[in-house]
Amino acid sequence: MTGVDQSLGYSLSARHLGVILWAPPRIADRAALVQVASGLGRIAESRSRLLVHASASSLWLWLTPGIPVSAEALETALAPHRDVRLAIGSLDEGVDGFRRTHDRAVETQRLVQSNNAHRLAFYDDVAAVILLARDEARLREFIYATLGPLASGPQDLRDTLRMFIHQRYNASRTAELLFTHRNTILQRIRRAEDRLPVTLDRHGTNVGIALDAMHWLNLQDE
């Protein structure tokens, strides 16, 4: 370890995962934030960690994961702490990676912190939305040009189609994740496709990004 590493008790040359933990300021529980941070270290089988108390209602955390961190495991860790939110950066390496993974966690937090529906967000899942959200007017144009009537259609159609695309068009896996019968999933997908002005075969990537933007930003048709 270098002198800086020794003073931090953390190796800056490692492979890092940056995390922001926060809660609404008026109800933030520092002990709960620290408890969740400790749980994340165990879930990731982290060889070391660095924890910074950024404010009374937020923590900055760096981990050196030994295994991939799944959303399911993090949801379980969050379950007893309903007010705690997590923004997860992307894995990166070295001194520059230490900074980048934190910056990406911060960007992720900025994207979702105004929407209480989202307790957990990974940068890798929202990177495209972050880029598009820098110009909200153009983002809305993109969404409505891509989704057409689906943008104002039933929420369950958008949610089902979004999951279907994320699961690489696997209806059985989509049904499993949404706790819904496969036939119901297929019916929703057909209804969603009927509302689209484009085809999934040719524009599936754009449709998925537009659905992600509506989901993460909680945009509603106007």
Side-chain angles (χ1 to χ4, degrees):
M1 276 193 175
T2 67
V4 174
D5 291 348
Q6 289 175 344
S7 65
L8 291 174
Y10 182 90
S11 175
L12 294 178
S13 62
R15 198 174 189 212
H16 317 284
L17 183 66
V19 183
I20 307 291
L21 304 91
W22 78 99
R26 287 181 295 178
I27 57 175
D29 182 343
R30 177 65 65 84
L33 292 171
V34 172
Q35 186 175 347
V36 173
S38 297
L40 298 187
R42 291 192 295 272
I43 289 169
E45 297 184 5
S46 184
R47 290 175 288 276
S48 61
R49 72 168 191 164
L50 176 63
L51 186 64
V52 174
H53 294 260
S55 72
S57 59
S58 66
L59 303 178
W60 296 349
L61 174 68
W62 287 264
L63 301 171
T64 55
I67 60 172
V69 179
S70 71
E72 292 78 10
L74 295 184
E75 290 283 5
T76 299
L78 282 175
H81 309 284
R82 60 185 181 86
D83 297 318
V84 176
R85 305 287 185 266
L86 299 180
I88 317 292
S90 55
L91 279 170
D92 216 323
E93 192 167 350
V95 175
D96 289 340
F98 178 85
R99 172 185 52 79
R100 282 192 296 262
T101 187
H102 173 72
D103 288 346
R104 289 166 181 167
V106 170
E107 287 186 287
T108 303
Q109 181 194 26
R110 287 173 181 161
L111 180 75
V112 302
Q113 64 183 352
S114 63
N115 187 348
N116 290 330
H118 303 307
R119 300 184 61 196
L120 169 66
F122 287 82
Y123 175 83
D124 290 342
D125 291 338
V126 301
V129 178
I130 288 172
L131 291 173
L132 290 169
R134 292 172 182 171
D135 186 337
E136 187 171 328
R138 292 190 67 181
L139 173 58
R140 288 180 180 273
E141 289 177 8
F142 169 76
I143 289 171
Y144 301 127
T146 303
L147 299 183
L150 182 60
S152 58
Q155 181 72 44
D156 64 340
L157 299 188
R158 291 195 298 275
D159 290 344
T160 299
L161 185 58
R162 176 176 174 271
M163 183 66 73
F164 181 62
I165 292 172
H166 275 263
Q167 297 307 314
R168 301 181 181 181
Y169 306 94
N170 186 323
S172 297
R173 179 59 177 159
T174 302
E176 179 183 341
L177 291 172
L178 295 179
F179 304 100
T180 305
H181 195 280
R182 184 174 183 274
N183 288 343
T184 301
I185 295 297
L186 292 173
Q187 291 171 5
R188 289 179 186 172
I189 292 167
R190 284 194 293 269
R191 290 170 58 201
E193 287 187 280
D194 287 343
R195 293 171 179 263
L196 287 174
V198 298
T199 64
L200 286 182
D201 287 345
R202 196 171 169 194
H203 299 282
T205 298
N206 283 351
V207 171
I209 292 172
L211 289 168
D212 276 347
M214 290 199 75
H215 172 78
W216 289 110
L217 296 173
N218 197 31
L219 296 179
Q220 302 296 324
D221 185 59
E222 296 178 346

